[in-house]
Amino acid sequence: MTEPATVGAGLDRGEGRLERTGRWDGIHGLALAATVVAILVGKPVAILAGLAGVGFAAYSRFAEAPEPELAVERHVSDTDPAPGETVRVTLTVENESGATLPDLRFADDVPAGLEVVDGTARHTTALRPGKRASIAYEFAAVRGRHEFDSLTVVTRDVSGASRRVARRTTDRSTVVCRPAYEDSSVPLGDLATRLTGSQPVSATGEGLAFHSLREYRAGDPLGSVDWNRFAKDGELATRRFDQPRTVKVVLLVDARAAAYVTAGDGRPAVDACAHAAGALVGGLAEADCHVGLAALSPRECWLPPASGRSHRERLLDALTTHDAFGWRPPAATRGDTNDADGFGRLLTQIPGDAQVVVCSPVVDDRPVEAARALDARGHDVTVASPDATADDSAYRRLAATERRVRLDECRRAGIAVVEWTDGGRRPGPSAGATAGAETRVATDGGDARWR
Amino acid sequence: MSRRRRALLAVGIASVVAGVALTLRPGLVAFDWATLATLGVWVAALVGVGLAAFERFERDDAPPGGLPRVGERPDYGVPGDELAAAVAEVGAGERDAADRDRVRERLRVAAADALERFAGDAPGEAERRVADGSWTDDPDAAALLADADDAVHEGVEPEFDRRAERAAAAVARLRDRTDGGEPSGSVRGSRAGDPDRPAGGVADD
């Protein structure tokens, strides 16, 4: 006489199945017992009591839940809401099957991430032919592309002995909520491309601003020789000038299942990481960096570094709508587990002259391993980490402590760490200069003696 | 036709049928206890069917039992809860000794790392302090992670969950003591002038 807590679990869109509820499982025994008692006491009329049970048992054995033919209409009040705005959804179901549906239950398949704040997305009713039933509910918009394209329908026969469960596809309604990412930046290293740009990295060359002096080498152009120094000390020295370069930055967003944790506000850390990456897209693009995007996730997302307004829009669109940064964690990877989070593939995709900003809550060791591997390959790496830990139990405080230890391990390895808060980065002791403003180091053989 | 009138009509028809039957065949039913019981069963069954039908067709606010929960976010975990769940699942008996050791090892590593990070201990020193129990004032936490005879850990360990929680709290307190201060013995991830940092790929002039 018990039913599972949730029906329809595991059904894909368009699938359905007929199930027996088992509600009348014991009725056969009761009917038999009543008949036996009637025979034992010698009262034929009492056998009629058993017949009632036999009737129920026969009905439950042969009755089948009706197959509903429904016309579904869904109306969404706003398909392009701002974050936090409430959107009203009205769902109307009409019985087109020509027969009464004595027990019809339906639930709109509200996309993951959306929370109903008013009304309900489920309904139970009986529906005669041609009649309609409507529900209305409101949800608060959050970042992402949210597709309404199905609903779960359950019908039962009158006795409740069987039910038919189906996920029916409906006309698609799409709600896209695009946050306004505030521009922000993080410390960048000196790794740059050979292209002239506007980032004052440590490169020296054909620029205008004086950078440093170094010992004269045969072949240096005479125009670059510091003749004043030669006149003063008799020593030949070559003047070097700043040469701003173009910097490529790949934003690597940790979107593994492990990053789908929350500090208790119901939002996964992946959402905070996506917001951080969105802010960095703007800040780095403003600093004339070429920005790319990648997801550390089984769900592949890779946009190579480039510049321009349309590319910037493409990056922000990916952070808003790509499945890799969605609200549902990725499923466990099957088969090849050597590259479960796609990091091996990313190593072949990230250009050798690109810096990498890892956006991760750092709740396990994997982001640290990835950052160190990238650092070992010569990339300048920065970790931008939103804090997704809580402190209301001993184990949660322990997790926060472990995160702090991991971040410190990054710092020990020479990797800059930025503690990211909702309003942007929180400059830690390691967060020195931001893009385009840091002290530069010569990398072409000059040393302090010649500065 | 209103519901009330329909119900009255049904009762009336049933009464007429019963009256006609008893008129034509007096003594059709002997009202002894067996007949009453049989009638009771049938009345209960028919009333049940009637109530169920009424419930289905007339109520619009029936509970949506069995339908999936919708309009709620996935139940994301909070960091640390997986360890709490692992500790809660592990038993105190000999059969669960391996599971307890896994928990113990994780706490040991966390304690040693925290000692290095927040107390400035050298790696070997941190492990020694965890092993001899001098890393914390909490005797329960110290005893849980201290090196002991295998027989102690492989036998029954009552109150393992309480000790594990105290050990987790003791490790977290190591951070609390230095919260807001500079990490001891750490090299900050400064970019400029870091001699150990590999040179970037900037072209020479």
Side-chain angles (χ1 to χ4, degrees), chain A residues 48 113 327 380-382 411, chain B residues 42 73 76 187-188 191 197:
Chain A
L48 291 174
W327 290 78
D380 280 342
V381 182
T382 301
R411 294 185 179 107
Chain B
W42 275 97
R73 294 239 174 91
Y76 307 115
V187 178
R188 289 298 185 177
R191 295 287 184 194
R197 190 169 178 75

Side-chain angles (χ1 to χ4, degrees), chain A residues 352-400:
Chain A
D353 56 0
Q355 302 191 31
V356 181
V357 178
V358 180
C359 301
S360 169
V362 195
V363 290
D364 64 354
D365 292 333
R366 183 59 176 153
V368 180
E369 293 169 6
R372 297 194 68 162
L374 289 163
D375 186 62
R377 289 169 70 95
H379 299 282
D380 280 342
V381 182
T382 301
V383 174
S385 179
D387 189 359
T389 60
D391 61 358
D392 51 351
S393 77
Y395 294 108
R396 291 177 177 181
R397 286 197 298 278
L398 174 66

Side-chain angles (χ1 to χ4, degrees), chain A residues 263-390:
Chain A
D265 59 357
R267 286 184 173 240
V270 170
D271 183 54
C273 291
H275 274 88
L280 291 173
V281 166
L284 295 171
E286 284 297 314
D288 287 334
C289 295
H290 287 200
V291 186
L293 177 65
L296 187 65
S297 166
R299 299 182 287 211
E300 183 177 350
C301 174
W302 167 244
L303 290 171
S307 63
R309 180 171 293 277
S310 61
H311 180 70
R312 181 173 167 174
E313 294 302 319
R314 204 158 39 241
L315 292 172
L316 295 180
D317 187 62
L319 283 167
T320 302
T321 64
H322 197 285
D323 189 40
F325 313 117
W327 290 78
R328 199 177 294 284
T333 311
R334 295 174 190 160
D336 178 20
T337 55
N338 292 329
D339 192 24
D341 55 16
F343 185 63
R345 171 179 41 77
L346 288 174
L347 285 179
T348 65
Q349 290 175 317
I350 296 174
D353 56 0
Q355 302 191 31
V356 181
V357 178
V358 180
C359 301
S360 169
V362 195
V363 290
D364 64 354
D365 292 333
R366 183 59 176 153
V368 180
E369 293 169 6
R372 297 194 68 162
L374 289 163
D375 186 62
R377 289 169 70 95
H379 299 282
D380 280 342
V381 182
T382 301
V383 174
S385 179
D387 189 359
T389 60

Side-chain angles (χ1 to χ4, degrees), chain A residues 127-283:
Chain A
L127 214 55
R128 295 185 177 87
K131 296 291 183 182
R132 299 154 74 96
S134 292
I135 56 172
Y137 61 93
E138 291 182 347
F139 64 84
V142 292
R143 175 191 63 84
R145 178 196 297 273
H146 310 287
E147 308 271 12
F148 295 80
D149 56 4
S150 65
L151 80 161
T152 301
V153 178
V154 181
T155 56
R156 302 186 195 214
D157 63 274
V158 175
S159 70
S162 68
R163 65 168 165 251
R164 198 177 291 276
V165 187
R167 282 193 69 198
R168 304 181 73 87
T169 53
T170 65
D171 290 341
R172 176 168 296 184
S173 303
T174 304
V175 174
V176 181
C177 177
R178 299 177 190 277
Y181 299 102
E182 288 183 13
D183 295 353
S184 189
S185 192
V186 290
L188 290 179
D190 286 318
L191 184 59
T193 65
R194 289 175 176 272
L195 299 172
T196 300
S198 60
Q199 279 292 311
V201 294
S202 63
T204 54
E206 303 286 330
L208 295 174
F210 175 76
H211 179 279
S212 59
L213 287 175
R214 69 159 165 76
E215 190 176 9
Y216 175 79
R217 293 174 189 163
D220 283 348
L222 288 178
S224 66
V225 172
D226 186 352
W227 295 110
N228 290 332
R229 187 181 185 98
F230 179 72
K232 185 177 174 186
D233 301 337
E235 196 172 359
L236 279 174
T238 300
R239 290 178 297 173
R240 300 183 307 165
F241 298 90
D242 285 333
Q243 187 176 47
R245 296 286 175 89
T246 296
V247 171
K248 289 180 183 172
V249 182
V250 172
L251 303 171
L252 177 58
V253 178
D254 185 359
R256 300 165 302 125
Y260 280 83
V261 290
T262 179
D265 59 357
R267 286 184 173 240
V270 170
D271 183 54
C273 291
H275 274 88
L280 291 173
V281 166

